[in-house]
Amino acid sequence: MLALRLTRGAHPAVHLRRLLVSTAAAGTGFLFLCTLGYAMAHQDDPRGSLLRLAWCLTPLATTVYFALAVARTDPGTRPRPGLAAIGLGPARLMAVTAATTALSCLLGSMVALLVFLHLRGDLTGMPFDGAGADFLAQDEPLPLPAALTLLGLVPVISSLTVALAMRPRDDRPKGTGRTYGRFGARGTAVARETFGSYGRFRARSQVAQSAGSRAGGAAPGTKKDGTPQARASETPPTAPPTDPSPLSTLPPTPQEAPKGLPWGIAVLAAGLAVEAYAGKTHTTPLPGGLTGGAPGTLIGWLLTAAGLALAGPGLTHLCGRLLQSAHPGALRLLAGRVLMAEATRIGRPLGVVCAVASGTYAMTTLHDTASTPEIGPLTTLGLLLVTGCTLATLATAAVEAKHARADTTAALLRLGAPATMLRSAAALRAGAVLALFGPLTLIVAELAALPLTR
């Protein structure tokens, strides 16, 4: 009930992102149902059915990744002061976020089931003159348990991924155990107080007072009652300014670079090596009119995509460092500092977009050069789902990064920075990222398509 209330009272932009998640879940669920229909219509071809089911895992992964990005930017489920007092602690908010994601994906799965039943003719008759008989199996009864199992994959996996990624974490540094202070108060004490520390402190103060009284009067620079007496030549201390300076909210010095760049380069090189080694082996026909390839080539493509996703944060951090090199001005310094600070947040979606773009470019090049049939509608739907989900994930990560640096932007505006400078810094960051990831995408695409063109 709380998840429904938060969903109803959200901002229109949040509703739009959740609607996009429902659309992606509907497309992925429809692909799973079409795979089930193909298996029912071609019971003598289990290998082709299994291959189609394996190709549905890519839209499933991109849909779950997009749902996770939308859940992270949901403002209704962020921790706020006072929510723990009414029972909405971090664990409860994590459960609410997972439930909201499950509701969005479940809505898409229901739409996919209705569309599939309509195309089969189970609701209003067979549309399109039976054009989809190859993957709809309208002559066979639909196994409801199998259909519900396939439709439940997207909501269950998405909600579990969101719950695992947004679980409450202990922010204390490693190696520090949980300690308790006075009266069971939780915290980390700098030094443990022993039993007689208070008595010893009182004893030392009494000894000092008695020694001063025996010295005959007050000490130099003090009054008779023991309070310090100000000298004539000294000026009274001035109080520190109470207005905090906005300089404290400027972009901080970035921490160390992400550690996934060497691993990403190694996995990327391994993927390209596997593709080159498997280029001369026998080919496996792919569904939907796609160009066939060896099983090792498909494994190489997966390794290449994983390597780009791992190397994305490190490459983004490198872009920010290059922007600040060679005596940078205020514009390049601001753009590079922000890009380095946001490398982890937007770097991995950039790597995924690079992997999808390189794969799409390679498949398009191979399809133009090879004598293969036309790409089917389900393959087109899968490509649109993968491309759309990755681009939407990148846009969502950019929105999350913008909200994260809202205080920094406000501080710069209070300091007198013009709005055009902020827009120029954003354009400079986009240009630097495009200048690095664009050629990298083309190089990886050419190397991925090279084994299949020989």
Side-chain angles (χ1 to χ4, degrees):
M1 185 61 67
L2 180 60
L4 290 176
R5 290 181 179 179
L6 292 175
T7 302
R8 184 183 60 182
H11 194 269
V14 179
H15 284 302
L16 178 61
R17 291 195 290 267
R18 291 172 179 169
L19 183 61
L20 290 177
V21 172
S22 300
T23 304
T28 305
F30 183 75
L31 288 178
F32 276 116
L33 291 178
C34 291
T35 302
L36 177 62
Y38 181 87
M40 293 165 52
H42 302 80
Q43 299 183 7
D44 55 344
D45 187 17
R47 188 170 182 271
S49 302
L50 185 61
L51 185 61
R52 281 169 169 78
L53 183 62
W55 274 99
C56 290
L57 297 180
T58 303
L60 175 63
T62 54
T63 302
V64 171
Y65 191 45
F66 178 47
L68 176 60
V70 171
R72 284 176 173 173
T73 57
D74 193 350
T77 55
R78 292 177 181 174
R80 298 186 185 92
L83 289 182
I86 59 175
L88 292 178
R92 183 72 180 277
L93 287 179
M94 178 267 295
V96 170
T97 306
T100 304
T101 304
L103 287 175
S104 301
C105 296
L106 187 60
L107 176 62
S109 298
M110 293 174 59
V111 172
L113 180 60
L114 291 177
V115 172
F116 185 76
L117 293 177
H118 172 69
L119 294 178
R120 274 175 52 91
D122 296 338
L123 300 179
T124 59
M126 190 68 179
F128 304 114
D129 298 330
D134 187 43
F135 54 86
L136 295 177
Q138 71 274 12
D139 297 332
E140 300 288 338
L142 182 66
L144 189 59
L148 294 181
T149 301
L150 291 176
L151 289 176
L153 289 178
V154 179
V156 171
I157 296 178
S158 299
S159 58
L160 290 179
T161 304
V162 169
L164 183 62
M166 304 187 67
R167 67 187 185 278
R169 293 181 175 87
D170 194 357
D171 297 333
R172 293 173 301 177
K174 296 181 180 180
T176 57
R178 179 177 297 179
T179 58
Y180 299 90
R182 289 179 177 270
F183 305 106
R186 180 178 174 180
T188 54
V190 178
R192 185 186 298 269
E193 292 182 358
T194 57
F195 177 75
S197 57
Y198 182 74
R200 288 194 300 269
F201 173 75
R202 295 289 299 172
R204 290 177 182 176
S205 61
Q206 291 176 0
V207 169
Q209 290 179 0
S210 61
S213 61
R214 287 194 302 266
T222 58
K223 298 180 182 180
K224 293 182 179 181
D225 55 349
T227 58
Q229 181 180 5
R231 298 179 181 178
S233 59
E234 293 179 353
T235 57
T238 58
T242 58
D243 187 14
S245 174
L247 292 175
S248 59
T249 57
L250 289 178
T253 302
Q255 300 177 356
E256 59 181 4
K259 300 180 180 179
L261 183 58
W263 289 102
I265 294 176
V267 175
L268 177 61
L272 295 176
V274 170
E275 293 175 19
Y277 179 77
K280 294 183 178 182
T281 58
H282 65 280
T283 61
T284 300
L286 301 182
L290 292 177
T291 304
T297 303
L298 303 180
I299 296 175
W301 279 0
L302 294 178
L303 289 177
T304 301
L308 288 174
L310 288 175
L315 293 176
T316 307
H317 190 275
L318 179 62
C319 285
R321 186 172 294 277
L322 291 177
L323 278 178
Q324 301 178 81
S325 61
H327 303 286
L331 182 61
R332 285 200 294 137
L333 186 62
L334 177 61
R337 184 66 62 83
V338 172
L339 198 58
M340 291 174 66
E342 297 174 355
T344 305
R345 183 177 286 111
I346 67 174
R348 187 158 286 112
L350 276 173
V352 174
V353 169
C354 181
V356 171
S358 61
T360 304
Y361 178 80
M363 287 189 295
T364 304
T365 304
L366 291 176
H367 189 271
D368 292 339
T369 57
S371 58
T372 54
E374 294 293 332
I375 295 180
L378 295 182
T379 305
T380 304
L381 177 60
L383 293 177
L384 290 177
L385 272 176
V386 172
T387 306
C389 287
T390 51
L391 292 178
T393 303
L394 179 59
T396 306
V399 172
E400 181 185 4
K402 181 180 179 181
H403 292 328
R405 64 172 185 271
D407 295 337
T408 301
T409 304
L412 290 174
L413 292 177
R414 287 196 303 268
L415 287 174
T420 56
M421 180 181 179
L422 300 180
R423 289 192 292 267
S424 300
L428 185 59
R429 291 195 303 269
V433 168
L434 185 61
L436 180 61
F437 281 90
L440 178 63
T441 302
L442 295 178
I443 293 174
V444 172
E446 291 292 341
L447 292 178
L450 184 61
L452 299 179
T453 57
R454 292 182 298 179

